[in-house]
Amino acid sequence: MSAVLFFIAAIGVITGAVGVVVLRNPFFAVLALVGHLVSLAVLFLLLRAEFVAAVQVVVYAGAVMVLYVFVVAYVGGEGESIGERLRRGTSTSGMRVGGAILGGALLVELFIALLGTGLEATSGYGAGYVPGPQAYGTPAYIGKLLLTRFLLAFELASFLLLVGAIGGVVLARRRGGIDEFSGRQAITPLNLLRPRATGTTAEAVGTATVHDGGSRYGA
Amino acid sequence: MSIDWYLAVSAIVFALGALGVMTRRNPLVVLLCLELMLNGGNLALIAFSRMWGNGDGQILAIVVMTVAACEVCIGLGMIVAIYRRRLPIDVDELRELQG
């Protein structure tokens, strides 16, 4: 039973991965990645990592992929499949072939490293498993580890998430541009702390000093 | 199934992700392929964790997921910023830094 489930999930994982690499439309690539992630969660369950599987489905396939779908819908941008680029024979197609060769070499190397290893335990079925409320892989087990042995890693990861959230907001925020130069501009207390005529794209183009005339705008 | 099989799947997924990073030109798809590579690593971590009956690998997998979420957040923010500046969404065209 578990072998059947493994093969179904493994085929789903690999098909999803191939879909991400090959599909032309980025939107379909995102959908392929969602299928890949859900199949991967099944593999995690087979490895008795219940909590990680749940996180994978809820956070990864749920939240992160929704973010991707939003950005793909906003940016759009038709991709181009590898096959087409190879057939077109541009000057970079040699590099594409080189990339494929390097990918194949990486695969062979990984197989040698992982399967040709002298570790006999890799051909076993893993350590013993005793079911129970605090067994290996349950939320209670993971939570205990996270808040005792790995407390520092936990705190650092949460700090990293904070940095990531702030970085995302700063990078993607709406800057005052040249087009909306005379339009409604939000004035915040932070504007007082900023040098005059900075903080907009008008500054980079060099029109800021011409049109600014002492007023503060932007943010 | 024995641990071998999971490791084989993780190697295939990682190599496919690397192939995508090297060959695709749309930065959105490059980010997706980075996710694939991280997922291949995660699968190997959890397989080894199962092999030892030890939770450390699972904790590391959760940390990797956190890092992946941050990477997505920053990467998508950069793509939106590039789009706002009307620059081409293509990693081959964006070579001002001589990449």
Side-chain angles (χ1 to χ4, degrees):
Chain A
M1 179 61 204
S2 84
V4 176
L5 208 54
F6 170 83
F7 278 110
I8 293 172
I11 289 171
V13 165
I14 294 172
T15 316
V18 170
V20 171
V21 177
V22 170
L23 285 178
R24 177 194 168 90
N25 190 332
F27 186 73
F28 292 139
V30 174
L31 289 187
L33 190 65
V34 172
H36 164 85
L37 290 172
V38 172
S39 311
L40 201 63
V42 174
L43 284 189
F44 287 175
L45 273 181
L46 284 173
L47 286 167
R48 303 204 185 277
E50 303 162 21
F51 182 71
V52 183
V55 168
Q56 175 95 3
V57 171
V58 173
V59 177
Y60 231 132
V64 174
M65 287 304 122
V66 168
L67 194 61
Y68 262 112
V69 170
F70 275 145
V71 173
V72 170
Y74 179 64
V75 174
E78 286 282 298
E80 205 175 353
S81 72
I82 300 172
E84 239 169 85
R85 289 187 57 77
L86 289 179
R87 258 177 272 124
R88 215 176 53 190
T90 55
S91 60
T92 55
S93 72
M95 290 163 69
R96 310 287 152 181
V97 175
I101 291 171
L102 282 178
L106 181 66
L107 182 64
V108 171
E109 183 188 347
L110 280 173
F111 268 125
I112 291 171
L114 289 173
L115 304 180
T117 171
L119 285 176
E120 287 179 6
T122 55
S123 48
Y125 290 83
Y129 175 79
V130 186
Q134 292 207 356
Y136 169 80
T138 56
Y141 181 82
I142 298 288
K144 204 167 153 191
L145 273 182
L146 266 184
L147 292 179
T148 53
R149 267 186 70 193
F150 295 98
L151 184 61
L152 182 63
F154 178 70
E155 295 294 342
L156 284 179
S158 57
F159 187 70
L160 183 65
L161 272 180
L162 178 67
V163 173
I166 293 174
V169 170
V170 167
L171 280 170
R173 78 180 195 278
R174 180 170 284 283
R175 294 171 179 81
I178 310 171
D179 301 337
E180 26 199 328
F181 181 73
S182 56
R184 62 255 178 293
Q185 293 286 341
I187 306 288
T188 69
L190 278 178
N191 289 14
L192 296 173
L193 304 172
R194 220 183 44 214
R196 284 176 54 177
T198 60
T200 68
T201 46
E203 178 193 0
V205 186
T207 52
T209 49
V210 179
H211 298 289
D212 188 30
S215 72
R216 294 175 186 280
Y217 61 88
Chain B
M1 300 304 293
S2 69
I3 304 293
D4 281 346
W5 290 86
Y6 295 96
L7 294 179
V9 172
S10 89
I12 292 171
V13 171
F14 189 88
L16 276 172
L19 175 69
V21 169
M22 286 189 283
T23 51
R24 292 304 295 264
R25 295 192 311 160
N26 188 331
L28 276 166
V29 183
V30 171
L31 277 181
L32 287 176
C33 293
L34 279 178
E35 302 281 323
L36 280 184
M37 294 176 75
L38 289 170
N39 281 328
N42 263 352
L43 183 59
L45 278 174
I46 287 179
F48 281 125
S49 170
R50 173 83 187 101
M51 186 175 108
W52 291 106
N54 183 337
D56 296 8
Q58 295 194 10
I59 302 288
L60 192 47
I62 291 174
V63 172
V64 169
M65 280 183 197
T66 316
V67 172
C70 292
E71 168 233 314
V72 167
C73 190
I74 300 289
L76 291 182
M78 283 172 64
I79 291 172
V80 169
I82 291 170
Y83 181 71
R84 286 246 175 89
R85 286 170 189 262
R86 308 283 191 276
L87 293 173
I89 309 282
D90 185 324
V91 289
D92 281 352
E93 308 279 330
L94 297 168
R95 47 172 49 161
E96 254 174 62
L97 293 178
Q98 309 297 326

